[in-house]
Amino acid sequence: IQKPRVMAGTRAIINSFVKEGDKIDFIMLKDAMPFFPGDPVFQVFGNKSEARKLEPKLLSTLYYMTEIASRAKEWTDALGTDRVIDVSMRGAAPGAWNFATEAFLIGGGKLTASTGIRNVPYLKEGVDYKLVGTTGHSLYLEYMAAGYNQKEAFQMILDKFEVKNPNKPCALLVDTVDSKVVIDDAISVILTQKKKTGQRRTNKSF
């Protein structure tokens, strides 16, 4: 049984590749519309030479974004929107970060660690999303995706690496989407860890 796909890339193509004055036009499915493999999803009309120049970008963008949106739909349906996190700036090719994040949101994703998300045009439509973590902290995001909150994720990192004395320092990275909140949480976890292990506060510990 074929699974339906999720259309994504319509808005991105029009906004990114079509310039005013181009002698070309489209008929395309709207973003987020379902379709089955083999269904017609777009038609291009206009000047043949301009259409040929646009074709590679159009096809690659549609395929790339539709694949991400379809997978996001499949995973969020199976696991829930609170268990799937977009890390486009880590996994996508340079220049494709915003396309990947937009496709993830089109597919129904809610949680993203992409710091470039404010540049995603799709968000201007009032799409519901939440910024979590940062793209460089894969272990932290792994715990967050498993359903733990930020403090619990930090505590589990400390426990995992058995940070129990000043001679085994651990760095909790706080360059996330809201560093002030993360710093407060990190300090709270560190002080709790010190109390549990009977450590004194020193400049060398943690």
Side-chain angles (χ1 to χ4, degrees):
I1 299 176
Q2 290 184 324
K3 296 181 179 179
R5 313 298 289 166
V6 178
M7 181 67 174
T10 300
R11 186 191 333 271
I13 288 170
I14 293 173
N15 290 345
S16 302
F17 303 131
V18 180
K19 300 176 182 178
E20 186 176 353
D22 283 351
K23 298 177 181 179
I24 197 166
D25 200 3
F26 303 93
I27 295 178
M28 307 175 72
L29 290 182
K30 292 182 179 180
D31 286 328
M33 287 189 67
F35 69 94
F36 285 92
D39 288 348
V41 296
F42 72 92
Q43 288 181 294
V44 181
F45 303 90
N47 183 281
K48 185 180 293 187
S49 62
E50 290 187 9
R52 285 177 176 172
K53 291 178 182 178
L54 183 62
E55 183 180 32
K57 292 181 180 179
L58 187 150
L59 292 176
S60 61
T61 302
L62 280 182
Y63 176 81
Y64 179 69
M65 294 186 66
T66 294
E67 185 67 18
I68 292 174
S70 300
R71 289 177 180 269
K73 171 68 173 172
E74 182 178 349
W75 294 342
T76 54
D77 282 352
L79 301 173
T81 56
D82 60 336
R83 300 292 298 276
V84 183
I85 300 176
D86 160 56
V87 288
S88 299
M89 292 191 73
R90 191 178 219 7
W97 297 330
N98 291 340
F99 286 165
T101 297
E102 182 170 347
F104 174 78
L105 297 174
I106 290 171
K110 300 296 182 186
L111 305 182
T112 178
S114 177
T115 54
I117 193 170
R118 293 178 180 84
N119 298 319
V120 176
Y122 194 63
L123 298 183
K124 296 179 182 179
E125 304 265 328
V127 174
D128 181 29
Y129 73 96
K130 181 180 179 181
L131 290 167
V132 294
T134 184
T135 57
H137 311 341
S138 56
L139 183 59
Y140 169 83
L141 288 174
E142 182 179 329
Y143 289 133
M144 293 284 285
Y148 297 100
N149 63 35
Q150 190 162 261
K151 282 187 178 181
E152 291 170 334
F154 278 150
Q155 186 62 60
M156 294 176 77
I157 289 172
L158 293 181
D159 292 341
K160 181 178 179 66
F161 292 104
E162 299 181 342
V163 183
K164 297 180 179 177
N165 62 70
N167 296 320
K168 297 179 70 175
C170 176
L172 296 179
L173 304 180
V174 296
D175 56 327
T176 68
V177 292
D178 191 340
S179 294
K180 173 62 170 64
V181 173
V182 180
I183 289 171
D184 290 342
D185 283 348
I187 291 173
S188 175
V189 169
I190 289 171
L191 293 178
T192 299
Q193 183 80 4
K194 288 176 179 292
K195 289 179 181 178
K196 290 194 323 186
T197 58
Q199 295 180 29
R200 295 180 180 178
R201 296 189 66 181
T202 71
N203 290 332
K204 294 182 179 180
S205 61
F206 293 96

